[in-house]
């Protein structure tokens, strides 16, 4: 899997035109490798004396097929991620590169406000996905190189910062560095620590400071980061560590103020900060945990199944299911003229469908429909004209 934040140059080229237009822009980059549906390779192996063709269907390299159960899990992850992005005012663009979900804030703003929001978004997504406890490490890119070469710090001051590389913590660590005379006497070091202190003030207001660890040992491998960097890792219990291999980071990001200018002949710079969510890595973690605990996944969203205990009731079932569909209720039936009732009920239990409506001769005579609760196997009689309203009521309460 590529490092988080690394995008194909074409992705940035398409992003560039969007970035230069508005003063404030927040984007979701939806980046992926290939469609999982459209690119099967068919190889004909027809020989001259054969009447039939034999085809070998191959999955394109770099992709994999997903089962219905896997698609349900993956879509839930994507819905959680994209929903969070939209909650924070994101606009959506699509750039074909790697399988990540990215959120970026572009524009000239006061220090650390966008950076703090990116960390807040990361916390919301990881908490919502219920992956377990996590920590987000934050630092800045290539500490000593930044301090000496780019910020003009004296080497001995940078070396003093290096003494803190083995430390990690929150505001207390930053306060400790503020009190170090060899750091606080230098303007650049003092400004940098001031930005970090401000960042933690905002993180405290957002209620996520305990999830963030200032860690100077953190180093991102990409050259375009220019300031604060961060990386989220899951905290495993000893039992979890034995059961699975180290998954590495599940989200990461940082500030990259100089990258967009690479695509402008005039060198116009757009300050940017963003984050990437490793969808495929998270999907693998969730999938493995589900296998471990034997969790069952519903592959459909069907709410009601239309059944009958008798023969020659297909027309009545079709009229009934059409009424449910027209009311916006997710419903299905077996595609058989005369299915056995036990087969229909077993299907509902296997697929996790919560409700069954049953129509037969007796129900027709009495002007009712039987409504069966699959979980409890309880059945109640509902007047035919009240069926849709009763189903909607029960679905809203579940």
């Amino acid at each position: 899997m590529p490092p988080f934040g690394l995008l194909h140059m074409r992705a940035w080229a398409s992003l560039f035109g969007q970035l230069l237009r508005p003063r404030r822009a927040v984007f979701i980059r939806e980046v992926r490798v290939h469609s999982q549906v459209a690119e099967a390779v068919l190889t004909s192996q027809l020989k001259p004396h054969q009447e039939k063709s034999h085809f070998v269907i191959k999955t394109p390299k770099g992709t994999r097929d997903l089962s219905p159960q896997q698609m349900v899990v993956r879509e839930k992850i994507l819905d959680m991620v994209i929903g969070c992005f939209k909650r924070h005012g994101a606009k959506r663009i699509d750039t074909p590169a790697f399988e990540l979900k990215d959120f970026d804030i572009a524009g000239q703003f006061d220090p650390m406000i966008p950076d703090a929001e990116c960390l807040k978004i990361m916390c919301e997504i990881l908490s919502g996905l219920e992956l377990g406890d996590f920590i987000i490490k934050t630092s800045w890119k290539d500490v000593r190189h930044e301090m000496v070469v780019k910020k003009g710090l004296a080497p001995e001051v940078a070396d003093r910062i290096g003494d803190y590389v083995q430390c990690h913590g929150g505001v207390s660590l930053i306060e400790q560095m503020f009190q170090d005379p060899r750091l606080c006497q230098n303007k650049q070091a003092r400004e940098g620590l001031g930005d970090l202190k401000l960042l933690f003030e905002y993180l405290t207001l957002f209620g996520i400071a305990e999830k963030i660890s200032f860690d100077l040992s953190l180093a991102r491998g990409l050259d375009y980061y220019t300031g604060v960097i961060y990386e989220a890792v899951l905290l495993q219990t000893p039992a979890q560590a034995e059961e699975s291999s180290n998954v590495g980071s599940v989200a990461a990001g940082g500030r990259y103020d100089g990258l967009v200018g690479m695509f402008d002949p005039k060198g116009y710079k757009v300050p940017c900060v963003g984050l990437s969510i490793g969808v495929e890595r998270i999907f693998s973690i969730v999938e493995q945990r589900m296998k471990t605990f034997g969790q069952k996944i519903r592959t459909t969203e069907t709410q009601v199944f239309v059944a009958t205990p008798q023969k020659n009731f297909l027309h009545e079932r079709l009229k009934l299911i059409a009424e449910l569909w027209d009311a916006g209720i997710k419903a299905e039936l077996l595609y058989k003229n005369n299915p056995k009732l036990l087969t229909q009920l077993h299907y509902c239990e296997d697929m996790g469908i919560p409700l069954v409506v049953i129509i037969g001769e007796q129900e027709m005579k009495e002007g009712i429909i039987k409504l069966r609760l699959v979980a409890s196997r309880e059945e109640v009689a509902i007047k035919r004209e009240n069926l849709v309203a009763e189903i909607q009521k029960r679905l809203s309460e579940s």
Side-chain angles (χ1 to χ4, degrees):
M1 179 175 181
F4 292 147
L6 177 60
L7 293 175
H8 195 282
M9 287 300 177
R10 289 181 301 171
W12 282 109
S14 64
L15 178 62
F16 175 65
Q18 300 282 343
L19 292 177
L20 292 183
R21 292 175 188 170
R23 178 172 176 79
R24 161 150 172 94
V26 184
F27 297 102
I28 302 172
R29 287 199 308 279
E30 186 172 7
V31 287
R32 57 183 178 269
V33 183
H34 295 288
S35 167
Q36 297 294 323
V37 180
E39 296 195 33
V41 179
L42 295 178
T43 304
S44 176
Q45 297 180 339
L46 181 64
K47 296 181 180 179
H49 63 279
Q50 290 180 317
E51 295 181 357
K52 295 183 179 179
S53 297
H54 298 279
F55 295 100
V56 178
I57 301 177
K58 298 180 179 179
T59 302
K61 291 182 178 179
T63 70
R64 63 166 172 161
D65 293 327
L66 297 178
S67 68
Q69 291 82 0
Q70 289 173 318
M71 280 302 300
V72 170
V73 174
R74 194 172 185 280
E75 286 176 358
K76 286 183 178 179
I77 294 171
L78 294 178
D79 288 346
M80 173 70 69
V81 173
I82 294 174
C84 181
F85 287 171
K86 290 182 177 180
R87 189 163 61 247
H88 286 262
K91 301 175 184 178
R92 192 169 185 173
I93 63 174
D94 191 349
T95 53
F98 302 110
E99 192 58 66
L100 304 170
K101 279 290 179 290
D102 296 351
F103 181 99
D104 302 276
I105 300 175
Q108 188 71 47
F109 305 108
D110 289 339
M112 296 298 144
I113 301 175
D115 309 70
E117 184 174 7
C118 285
L119 290 166
K120 170 65 172 170
I121 290 169
M122 197 177 286
C123 283
E124 287 181 12
I125 290 172
L126 295 179
S127 297
L129 290 173
E130 298 180 345
L131 299 174
D133 201 8
F134 63 89
I135 194 75
I136 301 175
K137 301 176 183 179
T138 182
S139 183
W140 65 79
K141 179 77 164 61
D142 295 336
V143 177
R144 194 180 191 283
H145 179 75
E146 285 282 329
M147 294 296 99
V148 176
V149 178
K150 296 186 179 181
K151 302 297 184 182
L153 284 184
E156 59 272 15
V157 177
D159 289 338
R160 180 56 183 150
I161 293 177
D163 295 340
Y164 290 95
V165 167
Q166 301 303 318
C167 301
H168 55 85
V171 177
S172 59
L173 176 58
I174 297 171
E175 292 285 1
Q176 181 183 346
M177 295 176 72
F178 253 122
Q179 295 171 8
D180 190 315
R182 284 175 289 181
L183 295 180
C184 65
Q185 291 175 5
N186 183 278
K187 180 181 177 181
Q188 288 85 0
R190 194 164 57 248
E191 289 176 353
L193 290 172
D195 282 344
L196 287 169
K197 184 179 180 181
L198 183 61
L199 174 63
F200 271 88
E201 287 180 11
Y202 295 152
L203 298 178
T204 300
L205 293 173
F206 282 154
I208 60 170
E210 74 281 356
K211 288 292 185 183
I212 314 299
S213 174
F214 179 49
D215 187 344
L216 284 173
S217 66
L218 176 64
R220 304 292 298 144
L222 303 176
D223 292 335
Y224 59 70
Y225 284 120
T226 58
V228 173
I229 56 175
Y230 33 85
E231 181 176 278
V233 295
L234 301 182
L235 301 178
Q236 296 180 316
T237 65
Q240 290 172 332
E242 290 180 5
E243 293 174 359
S244 62
S245 58
N246 184 19
V247 296
S249 61
V250 292
R255 178 159 289 280
Y256 52 98
D257 291 340
L259 184 59
V260 175
M262 292 169 54
F263 299 94
D264 182 19
K266 296 182 180 180
Y268 181 78
K269 292 185 178 181
V270 179
C272 296
V273 64
L275 64 100
S276 296
I277 304 295
V279 173
E280 292 305 312
R281 192 167 286 179
I282 291 173
F283 172 72
S284 297
I285 295 168
V286 175
E287 187 180 28
Q288 181 59 46
R289 289 185 180 179
M290 291 178 64
K291 288 179 181 178
T292 300
F293 295 104
Q295 292 176 279
K296 189 176 181 180
I297 295 295
R298 282 196 66 189
T299 57
T300 73
E301 297 181 5
T302 304
Q303 298 165 314
V304 181
F305 188 88
V306 179
T308 183
Q310 294 163 325
K311 294 182 178 180
N312 303 320
F313 262 78
L314 176 61
H315 289 185
E316 294 301 325
R317 286 190 293 141
L318 293 178
K319 286 193 292 185
L320 187 53
I321 199 169
E323 185 178 346
L324 298 178
W325 286 335
D326 291 343
I329 296 170
K330 300 170 183 176
E332 62 177 294
L333 48 69
L334 286 188
Y335 304 129
K336 290 187 176 183
N337 280 297
N338 301 306
K340 294 181 179 180
L341 180 60
L342 192 59
T343 300
Q344 297 170 83
L345 297 180
H346 281 168
Y347 176 81
C348 295
E349 292 179 356
D350 291 342
M351 299 301 294
I353 300 172
L355 299 175
V356 183
V357 294
I358 302 174
I359 185 169
E361 290 181 0
Q362 189 64 32
E363 288 76 21
M364 289 281 289
K365 289 178 182 179
E366 297 177 7
I368 63 170
I369 298 290
K370 282 185 181 177
L371 183 63
R372 180 184 176 95
L373 283 63
V374 175
S376 65
R377 300 185 177 180
E378 174 191 355
E379 292 184 359
V380 293
I382 307 294
K383 287 185 178 181
R384 179 69 175 79
E385 62 268 22
N386 297 336
L387 178 63
V388 168
E390 181 64 24
I391 289 175
Q392 290 173 332
K393 177 174 177 282
R394 288 177 179 267
L395 291 174
S396 67
E397 293 172 351
S398 61

